[in-house]
C-alpha cells in the first residue's frame, strides 16, 4: 500500500536541511531503486521553484510500504528528523487514483 509522509519544517532550519540533504536523498534513491517511490519533494516556503534563503516549509513523500507501522518507522528514521529539520511528521495511507496504476 502507498503512504503519504507529510513533514513540517521547524523555523529557520534551512542550514540543517542542507547539511542533512545528501543522506536524506540517499534514502529516497533506495526507495526509487526498489520501485517503491511514487514522488518526493520539498514545499518551498515562498511561491518560487528556488526559494533561496526563504528555504522550505516541509516535505512530501509518497511511497509503498508493507504497512503503516513500517512507513512510520521509515519516516521517523529520516536524517531530517535526526537533524531537527522536521518539527512534525504525519504518515497517512494513500490511494493513488491518477495516474492509474493498473490495479
Amino acid at each position: 500500500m502507498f503512504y503519504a509522509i507529510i513533514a513540517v519544517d521547524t523555523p529557520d532550519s534551512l542550514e540543517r536541511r542542507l547539511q542533512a540533504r545528501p543522506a536524506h536523498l540517499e534514502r529516497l534513491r533506495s526507495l526509487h531503486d526498489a520501485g517503491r517511490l511514487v514522488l518526493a519533494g520539498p514545499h518551498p516556503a515562498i511561491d518560487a521553484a528556488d526559494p533561496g534563503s526563504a528555504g522550505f516549509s516541509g516535505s512530501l513523500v509518497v511511497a509503498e510500504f508493507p504497512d503503516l507501522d513500517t512507513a512510520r518507522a521509515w519516516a521517523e528514521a529520516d536524517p531530517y528528523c535526526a537533524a531537527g529539520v522536521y518539527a512534525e511528521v504525519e504518515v497517512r495511507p494513500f490511494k493513488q487514483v491518477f495516474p492509474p496504476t493498473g490495479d
Side-chain angles (χ1 to χ4, degrees):
M1 179 160 190
F2 293 128
Y3 295 89
I5 299 168
I6 307 151
V8 177
D9 284 12
T10 60
D12 302 315
S13 60
L14 180 58
E15 188 59 40
R16 289 181 298 231
R17 178 183 270 272
L18 294 174
Q19 289 174 358
R21 188 170 189 260
H24 171 77
L25 293 179
E26 185 176 319
R27 294 179 84 234
L28 291 172
R29 273 190 209 94
S30 293
L31 280 178
H32 179 266
D33 292 348
R36 296 172 41 208
L37 183 64
V38 176
L39 63 88
H43 301 288
I46 60 173
D47 188 12
D50 180 359
S53 62
F56 300 91
S57 63
S59 299
L60 172 65
V61 175
V62 178
E64 185 176 19
F65 293 94
D67 53 53
L68 183 58
D69 288 339
T70 304
R72 283 184 178 144
W74 187 91
E76 291 168 3
D78 194 288
Y80 283 171
C81 289
V85 174
Y86 291 158
E88 60 183 84
V89 177
E90 185 175 0
V91 181
R92 296 182 184 182
F94 179 83
K95 180 174 174 37
Q96 182 173 346
V97 176
F98 287 101
T101 62
D103 291 340

